[in-house]
Amino acid sequence: EKREMANSSKYDETLMAMLQQHSSDMEFMNTMFGFMQRRTACFNGPKAEQNFQTLIGTLTHQLEVYRKSEYNKKHGIEDDDEEAKAVAAKKKVEEAAEATRKKKAAEQAEARKKEQEEREAARRAKEESAKDGAAGAKEIGGSELASNQAEVSESKEEEKPKDDKEDDEDDQGTGEKPVHNGGSTERYTWTQTLADLQVVISSEQLGVPSGQLKAKMLAIDIKKKALKVGVKGKEPLIDGELHQAVKTDNCFWTVEDSNRVVFTLEKVNGMEWWKCVMVGDTEINTRKVEPENSSLSDLDGDTRQTVEKMMYDQRQKALGLPTSEEQKKQDMLKKFMEQHPEMDFTKCKFN
C-alpha cells in the first residue's frame, strides 16, 4: 500500500494544477472520467463493464483507508503503531510455540534419563541378588534338593556326549553383550524396552559441528519397516530396512542441545526384543537382555505372568537350579515316589 502511494505521488504537481482550475473537487473528478470515456476505451469499450467494477472496488478500498485513518486519528493511534502491534503479536505466538516445543523436548529427555537410571539400578540390584543367591545355594548343599540336584547333574555328566556342550553354547545365544538392552554402531547408539526403542545420533555422526545442529537441516523419513536419516543435500547417514516393524503414528524425533537427534520408535510387537535397529548392523545377544522390573506393573495379567516366569527361569539357570518346568517335574516325581513306597528308586537315573 505504501509503495503504491509513493508511485502515485509523482503526479501531484500536475494534478494539483488541474484541480485549481475547477470550482470543486467533484467537478475535477467528472472532468477526469469524461476524458477517460471520450478519449480512451477504458469506460467505452469491450472491457468497460469490467473496468467499472474495478473502479468500484478501488473506491471501496479508498473508503476503508479513509475510515481507518479517521478511527486512528480519533483514538490517537499512529499507523506505524498498529503495524508494530501486529508484528509483536505474531512474534509472541512464535515464541510461545518455541517454548512449548523446548519444554516437551526437555521433559522427554528427562524421562529417558530417569528410565536409564532405573534400568541401571535394577541391573545392579539383580547382580547383587544373583551373587547372594549363589552364596546361599552353596550353603544348603546338605539339603535334599541340593543332594538330588548333585546326583542328577553327576549322572548327566557321565552320559552327556560332547555335542551337548555345543548345544549349551547355542542356548546362550549369539551376538554382542547388550548395553542398556541395546548397543552402538559407528552411526548411532540405541537402547530398548519391550514396548519401544530409542536411537541417538550425534551431530558429529551427521557431519555437523557440535552445537550447530538444527531440525530444519535434517531429512528424516520413518516408515513401518524402513528408516532414512541424513542432512539435506548430503548422502543419508541411515537408509535401509528396520529389524522389525514400528508404529509410525507413535514414532517421533527431536533435536536436543543442538548436538544430537533422538528417535523414539514404538514396536508393533511389544513382546519381542530386537537384535539390532537396522538390518545388517551389529546384533546383540537378546538372551542377555535384562527386563525392567519397574515396568512389569504396566503389563496385563497374562503377559506379566509370562514375563515373571521367564525372569524366574533365567535366575534359576544362573544359580544352577531347576527352572519352573524342571521343578514341576521333580515335584511330580517326588509325589509319585511317596505314593509308591514299595518301589526302589535308589538305582534309577533321571534325565
Side-chain angles (χ1 to χ4, degrees):
E1 182 181 339
K2 291 183 178 180
R3 186 166 55 251
E4 292 176 357
M5 292 177 64
N7 292 336
S8 61
S9 63
K10 65 181 181 180
Y11 301 110
D12 284 357
E13 293 183 5
T14 301
L15 293 172
M16 181 58 70
M18 294 174 61
L19 176 61
Q20 291 173 351
Q21 298 179 28
H22 291 76
S23 59
S24 67
D25 294 344
M26 294 308 299
E27 183 183 353
F28 171 69
M29 294 294 294
N30 287 331
T31 298
M32 293 294 295
F33 286 120
F35 169 79
M36 295 291 291
Q37 192 168 27
R38 287 182 288 102
R39 303 295 296 272
T40 71
C42 182
F43 300 121
N44 189 18
K47 295 185 177 180
E49 182 72 25
Q50 178 181 345
N51 291 338
F52 274 117
Q53 295 297 328
T54 301
L55 176 61
I56 292 172
T58 301
L59 292 174
T60 302
H61 171 69
Q62 291 300 326
L63 177 61
E64 291 295 328
V65 172
Y66 164 75
R67 288 174 174 171
K68 182 179 180 180
S69 178
E70 289 298 310
Y71 177 85
N72 289 346
K73 289 179 181 178
K74 183 177 179 181
H75 293 83
I77 301 174
E78 296 291 339
D79 292 342
D80 291 342
D81 290 346
E82 191 167 319
E83 183 177 351
K85 287 181 180 179
V87 172
K90 181 180 179 181
K91 183 177 180 181
K92 189 174 182 180
V93 171
E94 292 175 349
E95 289 176 348
E98 179 66 13
T100 301
R101 187 192 68 78
K102 288 183 177 180
K103 181 179 179 182
K104 184 177 180 181
E107 290 175 350
Q108 292 171 346
E110 183 65 24
R112 281 193 295 273
K113 181 180 178 181
K114 184 177 180 181
E115 183 179 5
Q116 289 180 353
E117 291 175 351
E118 289 176 351
R119 290 179 190 167
E120 182 63 21
R123 183 187 66 79
R124 290 195 296 266
K126 184 176 180 180
E127 289 180 352
E128 292 297 327
S129 177
K131 290 178 181 179
D132 294 342
K138 291 180 180 179
E139 293 176 0
I140 61 171
S143 67
E144 182 179 357
L145 176 60
S147 177
N148 291 340
Q149 200 59 27
E151 292 176 4
V152 173
S153 299
E154 184 179 353
S155 64
K156 285 184 177 179
E157 286 298 325
E158 293 175 355
E159 299 177 4
K160 185 176 181 180
K162 293 183 179 180
D163 291 342
D164 287 349
K165 294 182 180 179
E166 298 178 0
D167 292 339
D168 285 346
E169 292 177 358
D170 292 339
D171 289 342
Q172 298 301 317
T174 59
E176 295 187 355
K177 182 180 180 180
V179 179
H180 299 306
N181 296 340
S184 63
T185 70
E186 294 180 353
R187 299 177 296 173
Y188 59 85
T189 59
W190 65 287
T191 60
Q192 66 173 320
T193 65
L194 273 176
D196 57 29
L197 61 153
Q198 291 78 41
V199 180
V200 180
I201 305 175
S202 67
S203 58
E204 288 83 359
Q205 289 169 323
L206 286 163
V208 178
S210 179
Q212 299 182 20
L213 185 63
K214 305 294 182 184
K216 63 183 180 181
M217 301 168 58
L218 302 174
I220 295 174
D221 186 18
I222 303 175
K223 296 181 178 179
K224 186 175 182 179
K225 278 279 290 178
L227 177 63
K228 185 176 182 180
V229 183
V231 176
K232 294 178 181 177
K234 297 183 180 180
E235 287 294 320
L237 176 68
I238 298 174
D239 186 8
E241 181 182 357
L242 289 167
H243 176 64
Q244 296 293 346
V246 297
K247 299 178 181 179
T248 55
D249 291 341
N250 295 336
C251 297
F252 61 91
W253 59 274
T254 182
V255 173
E256 295 183 355
D257 299 331
S258 299
N259 62 15
R260 62 185 178 276
V261 56
V262 180
F263 293 82
T264 298
L265 308 176
E266 183 172 340
K267 303 174 183 177
V268 170
N269 183 355
M271 289 301 298
E272 179 181 10
W273 297 107
W274 284 26
K275 296 181 179 179
C276 58
V277 178
M278 306 301 298
V279 173
D281 282 352
T282 304
E283 295 184 353
I284 64 169
N285 186 349
T286 55
R287 291 182 179 272
K288 296 184 179 180
V289 163
E290 300 176 350
E292 317 86 70
N293 294 333
S294 59
S295 299
L296 289 177
S297 59
D298 299 332
L299 304 176
D300 60 76
D302 293 339
T303 303
R304 177 172 179 171
Q305 186 176 4
T306 301
V307 173
E308 288 177 336
K309 179 177 179 297
M310 292 169 58
M311 295 172 62
Y312 173 80
D313 288 345
Q314 286 181 348
R315 287 194 295 269
Q316 291 295 95
K317 285 184 177 180
L319 297 173
L321 299 174
T323 64
S324 56
E325 290 297 325
E326 292 171 345
Q327 185 64 53
K328 184 178 180 181
K329 292 178 181 179
Q330 289 184 7
D331 292 342
M332 291 175 63
L333 177 60
K334 184 177 180 181
K335 184 177 180 180
F336 180 81
M337 293 170 65
E338 291 174 350
Q339 293 174 346
H340 300 276
E342 73 280 2
M343 298 180 65
D344 183 10
F345 296 93
T346 56
K347 297 182 179 180
C348 293
K349 292 183 178 181
F350 304 104
N351 295 323

